[in-house]
Amino acid sequence: MAPALSHVDWILTTGRQLGLDRMVYGLAERLCDAGVPLMRLRLSMRTTHPLTEAESVLWEADTGPITQSDAPHGLETRPAYIGSPMAVIAETGAPLRRKLTAPLAPSDHLVLRELRDRGATDYFGLPLDFVAGTGGMVIFVSNAPTGFSDADIDLLHRIANALCPIAEAHGNHRLATAIATSYLGARTGQRVLAGQITRGNIETIEAAILFSDIRGWTALNATRPASEALAIANTYFEVMSEAVDTTNGEILKFMGDGVLALFPSDGTDQGRQSTCRQAIAASHAAQGIAVLADLPVPFGIGIHYGEVLYGNVGARTRIDFTILGQAVNIASRVESFCRRLSQTILVSDTVAAIADVPMRHVSTQALKGLDTPMPLHTPST
């Protein structure tokens, strides 16, 4: 029979393939099976993410795996963190061990008191020094009468050294995913992460294209402080993002005071109809969400359906993931009539025919680039 893998070898081979959370859970169970008196194991690390500042994976002997958690920005200002053992480890970059069987001082953080009240006897935290500088830490807590032995402490040092590069690799992957999805959208971001990053890597797809922008943006900027205009723009972007996301679309770009969203189709009759209806549903949703968000400015939405080029364009060292084509231009020009015709939503004749939902004809207009005027409609429900 082959000898069992050491804990360090397991981390570097089997464990690293499991994902961060399952690796931590598996490691905790292996340590307990080997006789290490482990009550709690927590791996926590800083992130570079627009919504979260740190992420943690936590295991406890009483409950087993605990859902991976994220801490929002502003962590350092919270009483639960200020002066805590984790804060001390982050500030000093040094290990921290505290025997909880000894009397606690008045200055000791509430975290240590709560752990002691639950039966913890030994707290041992080690920093994880990442190359990128963000870093993290791993926390081991024991509830054995005498806490961790010297041999346990030596093992936990070696385990932390093995965990460090694995945790950093997972953190880098999460960072790449966060950047791609935050700046490009979930669907497009995944395409980039899958390797579609070469200039000219473009495919032709059919889609419903939604354009929207704030009405009177120039006048708004001229009459309100820049900070107030920015806050209004962000509220508007939030409104459109929620509306598009909940109807299976994707915002491809924020452009000044405007939004370009995409609803890809599989090219079948059913797929065309579905995506056009989704784009219309997003428009209705945006109106409702805007009321709830108390958005103080009106906006227009234009929708067209057609064939677009979807992929990477740009210079050799600076590329952009976007959509191009006549269908994109038409969607933009349809939206430009919203203000002139006093409508919040306008759709092209193509969308009206494909969607097959109640519509009201608003006007027939000449659109730049088209040989014949196009009837414009607004959904009647």
Side-chain angles (χ1 to χ4, degrees):
M1 179 181 296
L5 289 173
S6 71
H7 300 301
V8 169
D9 287 340
W10 180 86
I11 291 170
L12 297 176
T13 54
T14 304
R16 69 184 182 87
Q17 302 289 344
L18 299 177
L20 192 64
D21 51 354
R22 292 176 59 202
M23 179 184 70
V24 170
Y25 305 151
L27 174 62
E29 291 166 359
R30 285 178 60 90
L31 289 172
C32 288
D33 291 343
V36 177
L38 193 64
M39 171 185 167
R40 168 186 276 201
L41 171 57
R42 177 173 186 166
L43 188 149
S44 181
M45 55 188 180
R46 296 283 182 172
T47 63
T48 303
H49 190 280
L51 299 179
T52 60
E53 185 169 355
E55 64 171 317
S56 293
V57 182
L58 181 63
W59 174 96
E60 291 200 347
D62 291 342
T63 60
I66 296 178
T67 304
Q68 183 169 313
S69 63
D70 295 325
H73 289 283
L75 177 66
E76 293 93 344
T77 65
R78 294 181 176 85
Y81 181 80
I82 297 173
S84 69
M86 293 180 68
V88 173
I89 294 169
E91 291 164 6
T92 64
L96 174 66
R97 187 179 184 189
R98 186 62 187 275
K99 284 283 195 175
L100 302 181
T101 51
L104 295 177
S107 59
D108 282 317
H109 197 271
L110 180 63
V111 168
L112 295 176
R113 299 180 183 280
E114 290 176 342
L115 286 171
R116 183 192 60 182
D117 291 344
R118 293 179 53 200
T121 58
D122 204 349
Y123 182 102
F124 184 49
L126 289 158
L128 302 178
D129 187 16
F130 295 169
V131 173
T134 51
M137 63 190 71
V138 57
I139 308 296
F140 304 95
V141 179
S142 175
N143 58 357
T146 57
F148 295 119
S149 67
D150 291 344
D152 293 332
I153 294 297
D154 180 66
L155 172 61
L156 299 181
H157 269 288
R158 287 184 280 118
I159 284 174
N161 289 335
L163 282 174
C164 188
I166 309 302
E168 183 169 16
H170 281 283
N172 288 341
H173 176 72
R174 179 180 171 116
L175 171 60
T177 301
I179 291 173
T181 56
S182 296
Y183 285 90
L184 298 175
R187 183 183 291 110
T188 302
Q190 288 302 317
R191 298 173 78 95
V192 170
L193 290 173
Q196 193 172 335
I197 57 174
T198 306
R199 182 176 64 162
N201 193 338
I202 292 174
E203 63 178 308
T204 301
I205 65 171
E206 290 185 28
I209 305 104
L210 183 152
F211 256 96
S212 176
D213 70 5
I214 296 174
R215 294 185 191 171
W217 178 246
T218 301
L220 186 149
N221 275 274
T223 57
R224 302 205 188 193
S227 59
E228 187 176 334
L230 178 61
I232 291 172
N234 281 335
T235 300
Y236 161 71
F237 291 143
E238 190 68 31
V239 166
M240 294 305 303
S241 179
E242 183 176 345
V244 170
D245 289 348
T246 55
T247 51
N248 203 36
E250 180 176 46
I251 290 181
L252 198 58
K253 290 183 180 298
F254 295 117
M255 305 173 299
D257 65 319
V259 169
L260 169 61
L262 187 69
F263 296 79
S265 164
D266 61 9
T268 65
D269 289 344
Q270 183 177 359
R272 295 184 182 101
Q273 184 179 78
S274 176
T275 53
C276 285
R277 289 182 175 181
Q278 287 168 352
I280 293 169
S283 303
H284 288 309
Q287 289 179 296
I289 298 168
V291 172
L292 295 175
D294 197 24
L295 183 66
V297 292
F299 55 91
I301 295 174
I303 306 171
H304 183 57
Y305 182 93
E307 194 173 81
V308 297
L309 298 176
Y310 177 55
N312 289 303
V313 299
R316 288 185 299 107
T317 59
R318 177 66 172 88
I319 59 177
D320 188 21
F321 209 108
T322 190
I323 53 174
L324 300 169
Q326 180 72 330
V328 183
N329 299 332
I330 292 173
S332 176
R333 287 160 190 161
V334 168
E335 191 279 329
S336 69
F337 281 96
C338 285
R339 182 174 184 177
R340 190 183 311 178
L341 300 175
S342 300
Q343 299 294 321
T344 299
I345 306 170
L346 286 175
V347 306
S348 68
D349 205 36
T350 303
V351 171
I354 294 173
D356 192 25
V357 297
M359 293 278 178
R360 177 174 60 84
H361 175 254
V362 176
S363 179
T364 298
Q365 298 286 336
L367 271 64
K368 183 180 179 181
L370 296 183
D371 295 332
T372 58
M374 175 180 285
L376 301 177
H377 309 263
T378 190
S380 57
T381 57

